[in-house]
């Protein structure tokens, strides 16, 4: 988690939610990138060993990918890896129907799969689509 929260976050802080010296812990009402106010609660993980940011919207829906990326970038540096867990059903704790959480352990490196298992490193969506289109065209020509 960032050592100091950005001014945009501090200006959105709900005063005295966790006490007078809140640091990176707090409740925030942040204008999101999709026009929706995001309700955010952050914990620095000093006691639990897990940094956590929970995000919900003012609407009856969960935050979308763009909103979660926006919040991730406000609270963590762009090179930090954070996750959203999908636990076994038997371990679900759902106190808010439309709330999602971002997590990062404080004392260990977050494992992640190699980027090559996700896609072609260095290729953007438009380039990938052109590559797939060319492969399909070659396949169709070869099949004729």
């Amino acid at each position: 988690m960032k050592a100091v929260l950005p001014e945009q976050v501090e200006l959105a802080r709900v005063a005295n939610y966790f006490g007078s010296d809140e640091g990176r812990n707090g409740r925030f009402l942040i204008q999101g990138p999709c026009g929706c106010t995001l309700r955010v609660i952050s914990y620095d993980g000093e006691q639990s060993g897990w940094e956590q940011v929970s995000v919900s919207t003012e609407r009856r829906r969960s935050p979308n990918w763009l909103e979660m990326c926006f919040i991730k970038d406000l609270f963590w540096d762009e090179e930090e890896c954070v996750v959203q867990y999908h636990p076994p059903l038997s371990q679900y704790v759902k106190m808010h129907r439309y709330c999602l959480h971002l997590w990062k352990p404080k004392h260990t490196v977050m494992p992640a799969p190699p980027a090559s298992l996700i896609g072609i490193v260095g290729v953007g969506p438009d380039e990938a689509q052109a590559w797939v289109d060319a492969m399909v065209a070659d396949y169709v020509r070869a099949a004729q």
Side-chain angles (χ1 to χ4, degrees), residues 138-144:
D138 288 346
Y139 177 76
V140 169
R141 274 194 298 278
Q144 293 175 343

Side-chain angles (χ1 to χ4, degrees), residues 55-100:
V55 185
S56 60
T57 69
E58 62 187 355
R59 301 177 184 153
R60 293 183 50 88
R61 66 166 177 81
S62 297
N64 62 38
W65 177 258
L66 184 62
E67 291 165 334
M68 293 300 282
C69 289
F70 173 75
I71 293 298
K72 186 272 184 191
D73 290 342
L74 285 177
F75 285 85
W76 285 278
D77 292 325
E78 62 184 23
E79 289 299 316
E80 289 184 90
C81 179
V82 303
V83 297
Q84 178 183 332
Y85 284 103
H86 294 259
L89 183 60
S90 62
Q91 296 179 20
Y92 264 40
V93 175
K94 200 70 170 164
M95 296 178 67
H96 186 295
R97 183 179 308 271
Y98 303 111
C99 185
L100 298 177

Side-chain angles (χ1 to χ4, degrees), residues 5-135:
L5 296 177
E7 183 179 8
Q8 177 182 4
V9 174
E10 287 297 346
L11 290 173
R13 185 183 291 275
V14 176
N16 299 319
Y17 191 75
F18 285 107
S20 58
D21 185 19
E22 297 157 336
R24 294 175 293 167
N25 297 322
R27 181 169 184 253
F28 310 87
L29 299 175
I30 300 172
Q31 185 62 38
C34 299
C36 182
T37 299
L38 302 175
R39 298 171 177 164
V40 178
I41 297 176
S42 71
Y43 297 99
D44 62 13
E46 291 301 323
Q47 293 179 359
S48 68
W50 285 88
E51 298 171 348
Q52 177 201 6
V53 173
S54 63
V55 185
S56 60
T57 69
E58 62 187 355
R59 301 177 184 153
R60 293 183 50 88
R61 66 166 177 81
S62 297
N64 62 38
W65 177 258
L66 184 62
E67 291 165 334
M68 293 300 282
C69 289
F70 173 75
I71 293 298
K72 186 272 184 191
D73 290 342
L74 285 177
F75 285 85
W76 285 278
D77 292 325
E78 62 184 23
E79 289 299 316
E80 289 184 90
C81 179
V82 303
V83 297
Q84 178 183 332
Y85 284 103
H86 294 259
L89 183 60
S90 62
Q91 296 179 20
Y92 264 40
V93 175
K94 200 70 170 164
M95 296 178 67
H96 186 295
R97 183 179 308 271
Y98 303 111
C99 185
L100 298 177
H101 303 266
L102 296 171
W103 298 91
K104 181 177 185 272
K106 289 188 66 72
H107 307 295
T108 187
V109 175
M110 178 69 67
S116 61
L117 293 178
I118 299 167
I120 302 168
V121 177
V123 174
D126 294 337
E127 297 164 305
Q129 186 62 52
W131 183 70
V132 169
D133 291 346
M135 281 182 30

